[in-house]
Amino acid sequence: MPPPGSERLSKREVWFKCNRYFLRTIKREDASDRWAEWLSDPWTVHVLNTSPARIGKREIADYIKQFDQRSRLLLGIFEMGSRLHVGFVRIDLDGAGTALVNAVIGEAAHRNRGATTDVFVALLDFLFNTVGVKRTRASVLLRNQVTLTYLLKLGWQREEAPGSAVRSITDGSALETCMLSWTREGYHAFRSTPTGRRILRRVSTGASAPVRIPSAGDK
């Protein structure tokens, strides 16, 4: 019998609604040249510190393979109706109940139109209520003031300790970061505040929609 805490997590195959979008587990066949183009887009290079060098579908497929869908999850963001793939979310779970999340809206036509709100409200519901994490965290480059300001308006809390500096892929300079976070208790309390209620009125999180995490066939 394995020692306590050593059991291997089951694979997670998820699907849940995010108002105008839905999130589901990414599969290898989701790799595309269009996804590869997102990462070399000047906007993405600036806000995420990605390489401007162009890659292709094969490199995206290799990236997808890095996620075991147990403690390292990769979810796609798709538009309801058209099923257009517009972005992705990476989730890294540790053994202490913390989830590090990073989301990218790759399709420019879906940026600055409330997609981030739709995705993060439903994502936080999923992480806290279904996965059962105690805290979520997100790292943001300080130069990405648009995203930082927007997430703070959504209720994310800025941590006092400065984030670790990262090296710029384009010129090697040091880039400052900051960490944002939510505790489970803080998030649930925020939902009852005037600001939280106003945000919830603007989005239909699909919280009552089924979240599918099948175990049959997990390996």
Side-chain angles (χ1 to χ4, degrees), residues 11-27:
K11 279 188 176 181
R12 300 175 186 269
E13 184 175 343
V14 306
W15 187 103
F16 57 91
K17 188 175 181 293
C18 308
N19 195 21
R20 297 168 298 156
Y21 304 91
F22 66 89
L23 266 66
R24 69 159 171 81
T25 304
I26 280 289
K27 300 174 178 168

Side-chain angles (χ1 to χ4, degrees), residues 96-109:
T98 297
L100 179 64
V101 300
N102 289 282
V104 177
I105 306 299
E107 289 294 327

Side-chain angles (χ1 to χ4, degrees), residues 119-131:
V119 169
F120 266 119
V121 171
L123 181 63
L124 290 171
D125 285 346
F126 167 70
L127 289 173
F128 287 127
N129 301 336
T130 302
V131 179

